[in-house]
Each structure stands twice: as C-alpha cells, then as structure tokens.
Amino acid sequence: MTWSVTARGAHQPDNTAFTQQRLPAWQPLLSAGITLPLFFCAGLAFIGLGLGLYYTSNGIKELEYDYTGTSGTGNCSACAAAAEGRAPPPSCQCAWYFSLSEFFQGPVFLYYELSNFYQNYRRYVVSRDNAQLSGLPSALRQPINECAPYQFSAAGLPIAPCGAIANSLFNDSFSLWHQRQAGGLYVEVPLDRTGIAWWSDYHVKFRNPPLVNGSLALAFQGTAPPPNWHRPVYELSPDPNNTGFINQDFVVWMRTAALPTFRKLYARIRQGNYSAGLPPGAYRVSITYNYPVGAFGGQKRIIFSSISWMGGRNPFLGIAYLVVGSLCILMGFVMLVVYIRYQDQNDDEADEE
Amino acid sequence: MASDFAVPRFRYLERLLIVHGHWCYSRLANMVLYFFYKNTMFVGLLFWFQFYCGFSASAMIDQWYLIFFNLLFSSLPQLVTGVLDKDVPADVLLAQPQLYQSGQNREEYRPRAFWTNMADAAFQSLVCFFIPYLVSWHLSGHLVCCVRGPQTQDTTVFQAYYDSDVDIFTWGTPITAIALLTFLLHLGVETKTWTWLNWIACGFSILLFFIVALIYNSSCATCYPPSNPYWTMQTLMGDPVFYLTCIIAPVAALLPRLFIKALQGTLFPTQLQLGRQLAKRSPKKPNIPKDIFAQGQLPQEQRSSSSSEAPSQDGTSQASVSLEKVVVSREHGLVPLSMLPMRTPSQEDSLLKGLHSQALRPFMPEEAAQERRPQDSEMKHSSTSGTASLPPIFNLPNLSSLNWISSLSLVSGLGSVLQFSQSSLQVDKQDDEFLPSPPQPACELRALRGQTAKSF
C-alpha cells in the first residue's frame, strides 16, 4: 500500500492555521524576567498618579455640621426633642453659627447628609412609578402596585407621586447668612437651587403631566399627596419651572443613594459676590428642622464643600494608588532579588565546572 | 467527555494522545477553574453589598448587566482561550512524552488548586467591591471639626470623604466594568498562548460592554424599572474618577495572583513550565558556535555509526557536548534560570548508565518494527523507544538538584536535537535511544530495528 503525501482524501480536514492550531502566537512566560519591568513600570506610574490625586484632594475643603440634635447640645437639640414621639413632627427653627478665618475657595456646594438611611433597601428602591413621574396622563391616576402601601390614599385617591421614595422626601431647608462686620447685619447669601439634579433627569425622566387650562393644580386633580407630605406636589415651589414632578429637590431625592450614609446636593453658591467663594467672616445657617430621623437612629448633617475635577474631596483614591504602586515596587524588588539570586546560582554552578 | 476518535492511520495515535490529549486536559482543567472563579467573584460582589443594603437582596448591578454579563461580555475571550490555548508546544510534547503524565496524575485540577482558586475569587471580589465603595464612602465627621455648638470653626478642618451622592446604579455600573476588566486580566494571566484571536476577543468584549451600556442607557427613560439607568453610562464616561477606579481595582485584584505565579514559575517550576521554558529557548540554536558541531556529532556521521556502539560512551560525549551547548545557549537565553545547573561528567555517567538499565516497554518497539516506513512512524517509534528510559528521572517530584539534573538530561537530549531541527521533529539525527530524536526518514528503519532489538 502506498501512501502519497500529496493526495488529498475526501474527508481530510482543512489544513488552515486555525483548524490545525498553527496560529502564530505570543507565548509569554510568567517568570522574573518578564514581570520585573511590568511591576516596576506599573508601580512608578501608580505612585505618580497617586501623589497627584492625593494633593489634588488635599486642596479641597469641606466644612460640616451635625445638626441632628440628639446629643443634647447645640441649637437644634430643642427641635430634636420636640420632634420625638410626634408624627408629623412640628416645624422648628434652629441655627448653626460658624466663622471662616480664610477664604473658602469656590465654587461652593451645599449638601445635606443622612446616615443610617437605607435608600438602597430593595423594597424601597422598587417603590416608585416611573411612568407616572414621566408625566404620562394615563399613569397619573393608576399608580403601579409596587408603590403599595403608598399607592392609594386613605380616601381612595391615587397618590401622586406614589411610592415610599417620594413619601420620604427630605424637607428640611437651609438658608445662609453672612455677617460682614462683627456685630453687623446678617446678609443672606443667595443659594442657587436650580441645576442640582442631573440634566437628563430634569429634562427627560421627570416631566409634569400636561397642564389643564394652564394650571398644574388642575392637572393633578383627583390625586392625593403622599401621607408624609405637608403640601401637594404642585405646590413644592413658587417657581413654575421647579414645581410638580420636576422640582429639583424632588428629582435629587428620587435618585436613590447607593450606601446608607449619603449626601445629596442642596444648593450651589455661585451668585453675586459669593460666586468665587465664601469670604472670611461670621456666618449663620438657619435650619428649618422638619425631617424626623430619631426613629431609626439616623443623623443629619449639613456640608459645605468645594469641588474639583474629581468631584468632592476624595483622598482614598490617591491613597489607593500610592498603596498599590508601593506594593508593585515591593514585589518588583522581591522578583529582582529572586532573579539575581538564581542568576548567581547558575553562574556559580557553571564556574564550578 | 467524548472519547471516541477515529484515526485513519495508526501513527496518528501518538499525536492524538500526547499532544491533543494533553492540551485537552490542560484546557479543560484551566477553564473549569476559571469558570468557577468567574462566577464566584461576580456573586461575591453582590454578596458584599448585602452588608450595606440591610440584607434586603438589593443588587447594585443593573439587572440587564446581570443577565448579559456571562452571555455577551465575558464569554468570548474564555471561549478563545479554551479552544486555542496551548500550554506546551506540540514539538516539546512529542519530544518529551513524560509531560503527558501531568494529565494522568491530574496535576492541574486538584482540590488544593480548586480551593486556592476560590480563595483568590473571594479576595478579588473583596477588592473589586471595596475599592469603589471606599471611593464613594463618606466618613461623616467624627474628628476635630464637627461643631456641636455656636463655635467658630477653622475652615481647613477636613475629614469628609468623597461626595457619596452617587445613586445605586451609577455606583454599580463602574463595579460591573471593573468586574469585566478583572476577568479579562485574570484570563490574560492564565492564557499561555496569545493569538490574534485572543486579543480581538478581549478588545471586543470590552467594546461590546460599553456599546451595550451606552445603547441601553440611552433608550427609553422609563422602561427598565427599578434601575432606569437613563444616561448613567454617558455620565460616567465623562467622569475621570470612573476611569481611575477602573484602572486601580483590576490591578490591585490581580497583583497577588501575578506575583505568586511569577515566583512559582521561577522558583518551583512544574514539569510543564520547564517544557515551556525549553520551547522558548530552542530558537537560540543559531547562537551555538560551529566548533561544537565539529566534535563529531554531525547527523551524517551518526547515522552511519553502528548502533552497537557503547551507549554510555556516546552518552558521555553527547552530554559533554551538550554541556557546552547549554552554556552557550544560556548566555544568549533569557528566561529559564532554574534550568541549567552544570554537572560533573562522572555524575552524568552514572545517570546514563542508570538510564540504560531501564527496561523499555515491550510492545512499543514491536509495533515500531512492524510499522511501515512513512516519515512520522520513525519519529514516533524512536521517541517512544528513546524516551521510555527517561521517565523515572523526569518524574522526580520535589525540587532538588536531581530535578535539575533530569531537566539537564532533557536539555542534553533536546539540545542536540533542536540544533538541527527547524520547526518539526523531522530531525535527521540518529542518536542513541535515550535521545528523544526521530531519525531520518526512510533510511533508518533498518538501523531502528537494530536499535530496538538491541534494547530488549
């Protein structure tokens, strides 16, 4: 029987590089010689980046004040004591006085922060009706079942906006006053309450239902506000561009936070004399204490923060890069020692011959 | 695993078994480990989140990413690796059939390997969760600043961290991206053969993830409760912190694995890794100076030499030649540092004598004698007959000089072989039977028969 290398059988498989597994390949070997440059380069790059990030973050200033009032001291503890055990809690006024010794570089953002508030709880996260919030007239009076028990009011009217997220809307308010001279008058610092929500949220996701006879109140006729609200949704603000479902505080609140301690943007200080920052002097924050957090052991804070390209103050990123870069360099040195030692060992054994 | 194969020629059985069988085992073992790691790590991310969402089974990763992750984003690269990855090249496997024993001894998939893999998956999920977490965490003021009363305050006091005004799915989408990048990087550490298909599959997966995310996040603002990720990815892609987190987290997650693998490959290489290192070094043959060839080991002379020559004598001279070759090649070679300690000739003599005292497997040379004379048959027979004497040495389990000595015998065999062969094992060199080299086709069948008969 003869066998010829040139004859091709009928069932012979393809002789391509792919089918015969002859594709040209790079075959790296994970040994000291390959990984050493990798570790050192990565380590140096990370350390450089980490230093830059850390110093950028250090330049960002923050100022915060816990106004929960549960500790018994401070101005707002009276409000906290008054709010205990009474639902809805009575509206209360308190204030925070502070002074800046140096210029607080702008743009300055004002946040409120809540802790021990699980906005990421699953039943809470699903408790909303997005069709209703997008202004669909058909969905306005038929809230979905996930909103229960905040779906229909006690009188049987559909709740707009429905759901637990809307019901727990944060309703404290703040105003900032600046005393230019000691003992002088307090002048209000204008707080820009617009532009605090995502552009896409404000313009696309949240729309008011179509006006009826030019009136938003008539558009919401036949619906009821959520149980915890003092006023209906169309009266959230006198500004017609900021009331109803497109009220920016409401939109910011509906973006459920990721972690139990979170902050949300309240206002930006960027108007008038304060657009460049807060000048030194005495300040007062007047707080309208409405939101009860004592029942779940939460805390409330107010935060002033300047903003950079990497957002607020975030030293962790710089530290993480520094740590990983140092680890890379350390591992690189270990590999270098191993490499040199085994190189020497091979050389010594060769010399013995 | 299907094990019914039909081969048209009996001689193909060797390649089927030793090359493809080994590759099949290696790919299967590594891919199974990788699959377990991938799923454990991904679920681990969701698991760590439960501690921060009140154990309510809330997921910070969008449901469509959860569905499509294993299907679309991370399936193609592992498919390419599982199909095409060659841990040791075919010629080394054929030349060193002992390497097949790694499959017989189940060396690549042991309980220890599995649990180490699971521990690595748990560690990586910790890193890939907590780096984004700490980037978004707000440490509320415990320290100096917190004002409790109408006190004036220095503005330079700062403890608070990054503005954690991020919402769940804006925080979960970077975690998904980080998970994908970590999987691809892990696969990259594990892949031993990088073809253009591997590169394309990895790049395609990353691209597909971002394209799907961008399309998903720009369609229908209200259609996907509860996440409704409208414009999330677009917002993230304009945020430098997203990219910074995506760089640091996979690297930090893979650092231990890379480091340990690199150390292990240098200090305690397995037989397979030694084989791989040899295959890398074999193209160094042009560096070997010509005077080594002049020592009378040329193939033509060998071919005509009678097989009744004393094997130990040949072996000694052979080994001394290969010693010098190894020295030369090592000067030009790079990587396998652990491979080449030098031995004294007396040690070699005793070893080689020991080699020849091994009995060969009885049936193989008979088949060799009965087989006809196509080229591959000689290759197979000589290699099986030749290397049958090596296994006892090559199987030494622990790292010792004896292990290196066996590898040196491997080197001495291969060094004389590979200096003459180009890419295949059609080597025209006729050596002693302990050298795993195939003889020249056609002419040597007679000599081969003489050899195999002699070795009984």
Side-chain angles (χ1 to χ4, degrees):
Chain A
M1 179 172 123
T2 56
W3 176 81
S4 167
V5 73
T6 55
R8 190 170 170 81
H11 303 293
Q12 202 167 359
D14 296 336
N15 192 19
T16 64
F18 174 68
T19 55
Q20 297 300 322
Q21 299 187 49
R22 284 195 312 265
L23 287 172
W26 170 53
Q27 290 166 319
L29 278 177
L30 274 185
S31 62
I34 304 285
T35 54
L36 268 178
L38 197 69
F39 274 126
F40 280 123
C41 289
L44 287 173
F46 280 174
I47 285 184
L49 208 56
L51 285 173
L53 288 171
Y54 187 71
Y55 283 116
T56 304
S57 169
N58 270 358
I60 298 172
K61 291 198 191 124
E62 276 198 7
L63 184 63
E64 76 170 44
Y65 174 62
D66 185 331
Y67 71 95
T68 316
T70 50
S71 58
T73 63
N75 215 325
C76 299
S77 54
C79 290
E84 265 185 55
R86 291 171 59 178
S91 179
C92 179
Q93 296 284 334
C94 60
W96 170 38
Y97 293 89
F98 67 96
S99 76
L100 298 180
S101 56
E102 56 186 41
F103 189 74
F104 198 109
Q105 184 66 39
V108 180
F109 283 31
L110 180 59
Y111 295 91
Y112 60 90
E113 177 179 296
L114 290 167
S115 63
N116 209 31
F117 193 113
Y118 283 78
Q119 265 205 330
N120 53 15
Y121 198 86
R122 192 181 61 85
R123 284 288 287 122
Y124 183 92
V125 169
V126 303
S127 180
R128 61 193 286 163
D129 186 352
N130 296 294
Q132 189 188 61
L133 295 170
S134 69
L136 276 180
S138 54
L140 182 63
R141 293 182 179 82
Q142 278 102 37
I144 57 175
N145 293 335
E146 275 82 355
C147 280
Y150 305 101
Q151 187 184 10
F152 292 100
S153 69
L157 289 174
I159 294 180
C162 77
I165 310 179
N167 184 48
S168 55
L169 176 67
F170 186 77
N171 51 10
D172 283 0
S173 58
F174 313 99
S175 59
L176 182 64
W177 301 80
H178 178 213
Q179 185 187 42
R180 289 214 186 90
Q181 298 99 5
L185 275 179
Y186 277 94
V187 175
E188 184 165 11
V189 177
L191 296 177
D192 185 6
R193 306 295 314 284
T194 65
I196 55 177
W198 284 28
W199 188 96
S200 59
D201 279 0
Y202 179 70
H203 285 97
V204 180
K205 234 197 235 184
F206 291 80
R207 304 305 301 151
N208 275 331
L211 301 178
V212 173
N213 286 346
S215 159
L216 194 58
L218 288 177
F220 281 99
Q221 202 172 32
T223 66
N228 287 8
W229 285 27
H230 298 295
R231 40 185 182 176
V233 65
Y234 49 85
E235 285 175 13
L236 279 177
S237 163
D239 181 0
N241 282 338
N242 200 25
T243 190
F245 290 147
I246 58 173
N247 175 264
Q248 300 230 2
D249 286 323
F250 176 69
V251 170
V252 166
W253 182 257
M254 292 302 284
R255 190 158 270 280
T256 51
L259 299 170
T261 301
F262 61 90
R263 57 168 85 170
K264 290 192 181 290
L265 187 57
Y266 182 82
R268 295 182 292 170
I269 301 173
R270 54 183 209 128
Q271 288 162 337
N273 296 337
Y274 305 95
S275 54
L278 294 178
Y283 288 85
R284 179 188 89 218
V285 177
S286 299
I287 303 168
T288 307
Y289 194 114
N290 289 328
Y291 203 67
V293 293
F296 53 88
Q299 288 174 318
K300 300 190 284 186
R301 289 178 193 86
I302 182 169
I303 298 166
F304 289 92
S305 171
S306 57
I307 298 293
S308 76
W309 60 269
M310 48 184 276
R313 194 180 154 70
N314 191 8
F316 173 75
L317 206 53
I319 291 174
Y321 269 88
L322 284 173
V323 167
V324 174
S326 318
L327 277 177
C328 280
I329 297 219
L330 186 68
M331 290 179 183
F333 274 118
V334 171
M335 296 297 293
L336 191 66
V337 164
V338 167
Y339 186 82
I340 291 177
R341 189 167 158 262
Y342 275 85
Q343 189 77 304
D344 285 345
Q345 186 171 21
N346 287 335
D347 287 342
D348 289 342
E349 295 190 11
D351 290 341
E352 286 165 14
E353 289 299 318
Chain B
M1 183 67 204
S3 54
D4 292 339
F5 295 96
V7 287
R9 295 284 179 272
F10 190 76
R11 58 190 168 84
Y12 297 155
L13 189 63
E14 180 195 23
R15 199 173 171 89
L16 178 71
L17 194 68
I18 292 181
V19 174
H20 294 287
H22 172 81
W23 282 346
C24 178
Y25 170 74
S26 170
R27 288 164 184 163
L28 205 60
N30 284 309
M31 280 303 106
V32 166
L33 286 175
Y34 180 75
F35 292 154
F36 275 112
Y37 147 79
K38 196 163 71 104
N39 287 288
T40 305
M41 192 278 205
F42 201 61
V43 173
L45 295 174
L46 297 174
F47 174 72
W48 300 122
F49 184 58
Q50 299 312 304
F51 292 95
Y52 299 99
C53 73
F55 294 98
S56 63
S58 180
M60 73 286 198
I61 300 179
D62 195 279
Q63 68 261 26
W64 285 104
Y65 297 146
L66 288 175
I67 290 173
F68 281 140
F69 198 86
N70 270 340
L71 175 66
L72 283 186
F73 306 139
S74 67
S75 63
L76 195 59
Q78 75 196 23
L79 192 71
V80 174
T81 298
V83 167
L84 292 179
D85 200 35
K86 304 185 208 171
D87 60 336
V88 185
D91 47 355
V92 176
L93 282 174
L94 284 169
Q96 301 303 318
Q98 309 84 339
L99 296 177
Y100 184 73
Q101 291 187 331
S102 81
Q104 293 175 319
N105 297 334
R106 292 181 295 169
E107 282 173 8
E108 293 199 52
Y109 191 83
R110 292 232 170 106
R112 203 185 102 177
F114 177 78
W115 289 112
T116 311
N117 216 34
M118 289 294 107
D120 186 31
F123 169 77
Q124 290 193 22
S125 76
L126 268 175
V127 169
C128 289
F129 177 81
F130 278 102
I131 287 189
Y133 172 82
L134 289 169
V135 167
S136 305
W137 189 35
H138 173 72
L139 271 188
S140 50
H142 317 289
L143 310 178
V144 181
C145 138
C146 270
V147 184
R148 299 282 180 206
Q151 304 152 7
T152 61
Q153 190 51 51
D154 187 2
T155 58
T156 56
V157 180
F158 40 73
Q159 313 81 352
Y161 277 50
Y162 174 64
D163 52 307
S164 59
D165 62 347
V166 64
D167 70 297
I168 298 186
F169 300 102
T170 310
W171 181 63
T173 305
I175 293 186
T176 317
I178 285 170
L180 180 65
L181 293 173
T182 306
F183 292 155
L184 292 179
L185 200 58
H186 184 112
L187 191 66
V189 169
E190 292 296 312
T191 300
K192 302 167 192 75
T193 310
W194 283 91
T195 64
W196 57 269
L197 272 176
N198 290 83
W199 294 107
I200 286 183
C202 288
F204 175 73
S205 284
I206 297 176
L207 216 63
L208 186 68
F209 171 71
F210 281 104
I211 288 175
V212 165
L214 286 170
I215 292 176
Y216 170 50
N217 287 356
S218 61
S219 66
C220 193
T222 57
C223 299
Y224 311 110
S227 57
N228 280 316
Y230 186 74
W231 222 248
T232 302
M233 184 51 92
Q234 285 82 345
T235 307
L236 279 174
M237 292 189 78
D239 180 15
V241 177
F242 170 65
Y243 297 108
L244 290 171
T245 322
C246 279
I247 292 175
I248 189 75
V251 171
L254 264 300
L255 262 186
R257 176 171 273 264
L258 191 64
F259 181 58
I260 289 176
K261 273 194 84 120
L263 271 188
Q264 186 253 330
T266 309
L267 294 179
F268 312 107
T270 62
Q271 303 296 341
L272 293 176
Q273 282 169 326
L274 288 174
R276 226 175 293 150
Q277 291 165 3
L278 273 181
K280 285 283 277 191
R281 280 181 40 251
S282 61
K284 299 297 175 201
K285 353 178 240 304
N287 297 327
I288 299 170
K290 286 208 164 78
D291 54 355
I292 290 180
F293 295 171
Q295 290 191 21
Q297 304 302 323
L298 289 178
Q300 292 77 13
E301 298 170 21
Q302 277 290 334
R303 209 181 311 146
S304 56
S305 69
S306 80
S307 53
S308 59
E309 224 173 2
S312 59
Q313 178 188 352
D314 258 358
T316 313
S317 53
Q318 192 65 32
S320 60
V321 166
S322 4
L323 276 180
E324 303 182 42
K325 286 180 219 152
V326 162
V327 170
V328 172
S329 61
R330 190 174 50 97
E331 290 165 5
H332 300 272
L334 325 142
V335 181
L337 314 162
S338 56
M339 288 284 307
L340 312 168
M342 293 302 124
R343 302 175 295 168
T344 61
S346 57
Q347 270 180 310
E348 294 180 45
D349 280 343
S350 52
L351 256 182
L352 295 169
K353 289 197 175 88
L355 287 179
H356 282 281
S357 64
Q358 301 290 332
L360 296 177
R361 281 182 279 260
F363 59 92
M364 290 253 197
E366 278 176 1
E367 291 167 353
Q370 285 157 19
E371 188 61 31
R372 294 209 179 69
R373 55 162 213 99
Q375 326 180 23
D376 297 340
S377 63
E378 280 99 334
M379 164 179 74
K380 173 175 72 102
H381 308 316
S382 64
S383 59
T384 52
S385 63
T387 53
S389 53
L390 268 182
I393 302 294
F394 210 80
N395 278 344
L396 291 173
N398 43 3
L399 177 70
S400 63
S401 59
L402 213 49
N403 204 358
W404 292 347
I405 288 170
S406 70
S407 68
L408 184 57
S409 69
L410 167 68
V411 169
S412 66
L414 273 185
S416 51
V417 167
L418 296 176
Q419 62 176 304
F420 302 112
S421 69
Q422 297 308 313
S423 60
S424 68
L425 284 177
Q426 308 296 335
V427 173
D428 49 357
K429 191 174 184 328
Q430 174 73 0
D431 282 1
D432 287 324
E433 58 258 48
F434 73 91
L435 290 176
S437 62
Q440 192 67 341
C443 317
E444 279 70 38
L445 181 58
R446 192 171 17 95
L448 177 64
R449 281 198 182 148
Q451 255 193 359
T452 55
K454 181 181 180 297
S455 59
F456 263 95

